[in-house]
Amino acid sequence: MAQIDFYSGASDKLLVACRLSEKVIQQALKIMIYIPDLSLLNRFDKLLWTFSPTSFIPHCHVGDRVVNVTPVILIGSSEEIQQIVPYEVLLNLHDEVPLIYDRFQRVIEIVGNTPEDKVVARKRYRFYQEQGLSVYHHKLGQNLH
């Protein structure tokens, strides 16, 4: 049964996603990032290469040929992610709950500061609660903005 962690108050959701991904990697866990929006996926891909001048977050797209060999982070944009070896953590960067959320030990949701983002996040929060999952809320501090 998955643990669900909501991180609210993100002024930059993609930057927070990079930092949380880095923390997951430091815990020696595999993380998959679900981004069905191609434009957002490309922005996030570039940010993973540049967000920190002193660290590297190895990653690849789901369709890459090295997907089962080297990546610590996968960037998923389609149902192809169902074919990938199980990962422990799913970071959802979509407005809806991914159909495969229950294949992960932990799901991370990031909530931005806009009213629209809060509305769709509340729907996801209620969904997880209705499934009987443990849902935890974390208010982001200065260190993850």
Side-chain angles (χ1 to χ4, degrees):
M1 190 172 282
Q3 171 185 316
I4 315 298
D5 289 293
F6 274 79
Y7 292 85
S8 66
S11 57
D12 183 337
K13 288 174 60 171
L14 295 183
L15 185 57
V16 170
C18 286
R19 291 184 177 149
L20 288 172
S21 299
E22 188 173 47
K23 287 181 181 247
V24 169
I25 291 169
Q26 290 170 352
Q27 297 169 4
L29 298 172
K30 289 184 177 182
I31 182 170
M32 179 177 289
I33 297 147
Y34 182 70
I35 311 173
D37 177 293
L38 187 58
S39 172
L40 187 63
L41 183 143
N42 289 330
R43 284 183 23 224
F44 186 67
D45 184 19
K46 288 176 185 162
L47 188 59
L48 282 172
W49 290 101
T50 61
F51 89 98
S52 173
T54 59
S55 66
F56 169 69
I57 298 180
H59 65 283
C60 72
H61 294 269
V62 172
D64 288 351
R65 59 186 162 87
V66 295
V67 73
N68 289 318
V69 182
T70 56
V72 175
I73 292 182
L74 294 173
I75 302 173
S77 63
S78 71
E79 294 307 315
E80 293 174 309
I81 58 179
Q82 293 184 20
Q83 307 303 319
I84 304 301
V85 176
Y87 277 55
E88 293 94 354
V89 180
L90 172 68
L91 194 154
N92 183 25
L93 288 175
H94 187 49
D95 289 343
E96 297 181 19
V97 175
L99 296 175
I100 60 164
Y101 77 91
D102 58 350
R103 291 182 54 196
F104 298 85
Q105 297 169 14
R106 181 177 177 211
V107 177
I108 297 173
E109 297 275 358
I110 301 171
V111 184
N113 291 326
T114 67
E116 298 83 10
D117 201 47
K118 291 176 184 179
V119 167
V120 293
R122 285 184 189 113
K123 288 180 184 177
R124 294 192 311 272
Y125 193 96
R126 279 191 300 273
F127 172 83
Y128 292 125
Q129 283 184 320
E130 290 168 358
Q131 304 309 305
L133 299 170
S134 299
V135 182
Y136 301 94
H137 176 246
H138 311 277
K139 180 74 174 143
L140 290 169
Q142 296 299 323
N143 59 338
L144 280 179
H145 281 264

